[in-house]
Amino acid sequence: MALGFGSKADEVDTSNSPGETTHDEKVQDVEKQSIWTGAARLKKGRIGPPLEGAPAADSDTESSLDISKQMEMEASNAIKYRTCSWQKTAALLFSEYICLAIMSFPYSYSVLGLVPGLILTVVVAAIVLYTSLIVWEFCLRHPEVRDVCDLGQMLFWNYRWVWYFTAVMFLLNNTFIQGLHVLVGSRYLNTMTGHPICTVGFSAIMAVICWFCSLPRTFDTLSKLATISAFFTFISVLLAAIFAGIEDHPASYNPDPNFVDPKTKIHGGAPIVLAIPAAETSFVNGLSAFLNISYTFIGQITLPSFIAEMKRPEDFPKALWAVTIAEIIVFSAVGAVVYAYTGTQYNTSPAFYSLGNDLYKKVSFSFMIPTLIFLGVLYASVSARFLFFRIFEGTRHKGSHTVVGWASWAGILAVTWVFAFIIAEVIPFFSDLLSLMSSLFDSFFGFIFWAVAYFRMRNVDYGAHYFRTRGIKGWIGFLVNIVILVTGFFFLTAGTYVSVQSIITGYENDAFGGAFTCADNS
């Protein structure tokens, strides 16, 4: 199946005997089929034939695309995958987006100013909603897609090297997010316990707990944990906002407006709230704050995996709209309220450390522990599913409770968590490296892939000059996706520059610790 670099995979044999339906005729028939797109039933076509090795890809073209047939094929299995309702998918999305990153919004607003910060929050949310709907439409047209790696290969003209390129980005992205949660988990444990043991030990404890919680094999089961995670995260950020408002003053507060901290250079006095950015805000700081908002919203990398386990994938927009509305309200409200009470000079990321009352900080941070565990679990499950399905596709180990199946699943998860633990402990500038990886990967998974998907799907539907033949609607869609494509390359270039510059600055300021350090990171 794998071909050489730069060669097209899966060449189709179009030869046929007299009276036999050709492959092209089959694809044309499929393109005439109607699928649900929101409330309207529109005729949608595929951009190419099914990928070799995908579920049911050995059967005829139509049946390989039939979701009901996929469900029939696993009906007798002990472990069924296409079992998620839109409500359960919404729970997964809530747990992915309503997370610790919310508590970095006050910092972003302190750099960008409150008004631009709130506007950018809504704009980025709208872009991610739009591109997520493109992901959904693509997956409806190609139901055999199991994850973003399948999607990437199909999107870029079935070149096999694209699958490998996407797979490397996919696994690295997920593993680094796991590593972040190992690191933040150790920080939480140090905060709560006063650092009684080596920080490496806390990181190891966090990794083991996360591995155990990753063991469920279906998103249907994980959705129950996701619901708990999202609920406790909401309580956590709500408490943080309330505590910021009712406490006497934020952490590091000094009533003297002429005071300047010799170490942090922070000025004293009442919290300063800026409606617009300060005049001295640098390009690097401003862009870094904007990227921080963007990275919190960008999560399309997991969507194909979620849609692939839905009973009715046409219902996915219900989950997506619910989460997007909640994101805008929660991110904006919590970010604005906490910033208003902690100000520009006393703000930290995450904002829990801006709270001056130690009890308030511990109580609000404690409600975040389910998401500290679960979000890493979710990304570990997505990675393990990608590897597990490739190894056991078409065997009884995929859908049955076999020793080989469960041992392999647990082993794959263990490997991802070991790598996550090592990465988090070995790299002294892990947070900055995570930003660098986000710039490199989210540019593709957040923007570039989906602009290309739009162009290819509209080309199939209306021809190469669709932006002309569709009138104003065609031109608007074309121009919007050109902007999305350019935005992706902006993230890839400017975002990478800012991340690298941050690493350089950290070394210049001697801000990084060592590998496998026992030092208190709270």
Side-chain angles (χ1 to χ4, degrees), residues 173-478:
N173 178 83
N174 294 354
T175 305
F176 270 79
I177 290 176
Q178 291 175 241
L180 174 65
H181 284 263
V182 169
L183 195 63
V184 176
S186 68
R187 190 177 183 184
Y188 165 79
L189 292 173
N190 271 324
T191 299
M192 297 302 296
T193 62
H195 186 57
I197 67 172
C198 177
T199 295
V200 176
F202 276 144
S203 295
I205 291 171
M206 192 69 181
V208 171
I209 293 173
C210 289
W211 169 79
F212 179 78
C213 293
S214 304
L215 290 175
R217 279 170 58 175
T218 65
F219 286 136
D220 182 86
T221 304
L222 284 178
S223 67
K224 300 175 179 61
L225 297 177
T227 302
I228 297 172
S229 171
F231 173 76
F232 276 92
T233 301
F234 176 74
I235 297 298
S236 175
V237 299
L238 182 64
L239 286 175
I242 293 172
F243 290 155
I246 66 174
E247 69 177 359
D248 295 332
H249 55 75
S252 304
Y253 173 76
N254 189 300
D256 182 5
N258 298 315
F259 171 80
V260 179
D261 189 297
K263 182 178 180 181
T264 63
K265 307 301 180 184
I266 291 176
H267 288 260
I272 300 171
V273 179
L274 302 175
I276 59 175
E280 64 272 15
T281 302
S282 67
F283 171 77
V284 170
N285 288 340
L287 184 57
S288 179
F290 166 67
L291 293 176
N292 179 70
I293 291 174
S294 301
Y295 295 150
T296 305
F297 280 102
I298 294 172
Q300 298 96 313
I301 189 173
T302 62
L303 300 190
S305 300
F306 294 163
I307 295 171
E309 293 201 14
M310 291 187 70
K311 291 183 291 187
R312 291 176 52 84
E314 61 268 27
D315 289 339
F316 179 72
K318 298 177 184 178
L320 191 60
W321 274 101
V323 171
T324 302
I325 293 171
E327 281 179 312
I328 294 173
I329 294 172
V330 175
F331 291 7
S332 301
V334 172
V337 169
V338 174
Y339 174 48
Y341 285 103
T342 58
T344 300
Q345 70 270 52
Y346 303 118
N347 211 281
T348 63
S349 181
F352 293 114
Y353 293 93
S354 299
L355 298 176
N357 186 303
D358 195 53
L359 177 62
Y360 289 171
K361 176 176 65 177
K362 289 183 177 181
V363 169
S364 57
F365 202 175
S366 292
F367 279 94
M368 188 64 72
I369 190 63
T371 198
L372 295 182
I373 296 171
F374 184 77
L375 189 53
V377 165
L378 186 63
Y379 277 89
S381 183
V382 170
S383 293
R385 178 175 268 88
F386 162 73
L387 296 169
F388 186 83
F389 285 179
R390 291 328 182 277
I391 297 170
F392 294 108
E393 189 64 64
T395 72
R396 65 189 183 92
H397 303 299
K398 178 184 175 183
S400 301
H401 294 293
T402 65
V403 173
V404 171
W406 275 105
S408 300
W409 175 257
I412 292 170
L413 285 169
V415 170
T416 67
W417 282 111
V418 167
F419 273 110
F421 167 75
I422 292 173
I423 290 171
E425 292 299 321
V426 165
I427 301 173
F429 49 88
F430 179 79
S431 295
D432 288 309
L433 183 61
L434 186 67
S435 296
L436 176 61
M437 303 296 280
S438 296
S439 299
L440 294 173
F441 300 156
D442 287 349
S443 56
F444 290 98
F445 295 135
F447 302 97
I448 296 172
F449 270 30
W450 318 128
V452 173
Y454 174 87
F455 296 142
R456 293 214 60 194
M457 289 190 293
R458 295 301 171 264
N459 182 67
V460 167
D461 294 341
Y462 304 102
H465 301 291
Y466 64 87
F467 48 90
R468 296 177 185 170
T469 58
R470 297 182 70 206
I472 187 66
K473 185 177 180 180
W475 278 108
I476 291 174
F478 176 75

